[in-house]
Amino acid sequence: MGSAAAGVVHRLVQRHETLATVESLTGGSLAASIVDIAGVSGIYRGGLVVYATELKGTLAGVPTDLLSERGPVDPDVAAALAEGGRQRCGADWGVATTGVAGPEPQDGKPVGLVYVAVAGPNGAEVRQLHLDGGRDHVRAVAVIEALRLLAERIHDADAQAPDPDAQAPDPATDRP
């Protein structure tokens, strides 16, 4: 987890952007993996651990009707968690986890069903995972996959950003 967390932390430092986490399934282990990285204080705004369903609404801003209709393990809930954390913590990026680690299914959702989400300046993306293994394995892989999705979204933002070294066309010489 350390290298995945280090990669996103260092890239966010370079970009002068901030990060927040909202966790259900992972119970703080995502935040712990991030704050283990030296230099994180400049980019990590904070996080929420919202294990109880009602706290996903009251603390993280997930619409209560969405929670009551679909339950806490849902792709739209994951996206709302990420965006809620981003807004509530005043961060450029929000990353969230929700799912079922086991040992028993929850609300008809199977053990190993996990959603990780990232919300950033260009919207949110959710990834659905079907993980095998015990509770600890499901939670650990969820952290890695959340960091991987965040790294991909930062990379996508880098690719979309204008090149600061590119020269603007000269209107005096750029005529048909």
Side-chain angles (χ1 to χ4, degrees), residues 19-45:
L19 174 65
T21 55
V22 180
E23 302 176 71
S24 178
L25 167 80
T26 50
S29 57
L30 175 60
S33 72
I34 291 167
V35 300
D36 276 348
I37 308 304
V40 73
S41 62
I43 63 100
Y44 187 63
R45 297 280 300 153

Side-chain angles (χ1 to χ4, degrees), residues 81-145:
L81 287 169
E83 183 59 35
R86 182 171 108 87
Q87 290 179 10
R88 302 260 164 124
C89 293
D92 297 299
W93 296 90
V95 61
T97 63
T98 188
V100 182
E104 300 296 322
Q106 175 186 340
D107 300 325
K109 306 288 171 86
V111 172
L113 175 61
V114 172
Y115 295 98
V116 295
V118 171
N122 297 321
E125 184 176 337
V126 178
R127 184 164 292 156
Q128 178 177 313
L129 309 169
H130 296 279
L131 305 174
D132 294 323
R135 180 176 175 76
D136 291 343
H137 178 75
V138 168
R139 294 174 69 237
V141 172
V143 168
I144 292 166
E145 291 299 322

Side-chain angles (χ1 to χ4, degrees), residues 8 11-12 15 17 79 82-83 86 92-95 116-127 145-161:
V8 298
R11 190 64 197 115
L12 290 172
R15 292 174 59 89
E17 292 178 334
E83 183 59 35
R86 182 171 108 87
D92 297 299
W93 296 90
V95 61
V116 295
V118 171
N122 297 321
E125 184 176 337
V126 178
R127 184 164 292 156
E145 291 299 322
L147 291 168
R148 181 175 290 154
L149 180 58
L150 177 58
E152 290 171 10
R153 289 299 311 267
I154 293 168
H155 178 77
D156 291 347
D158 285 343
Q160 294 173 1

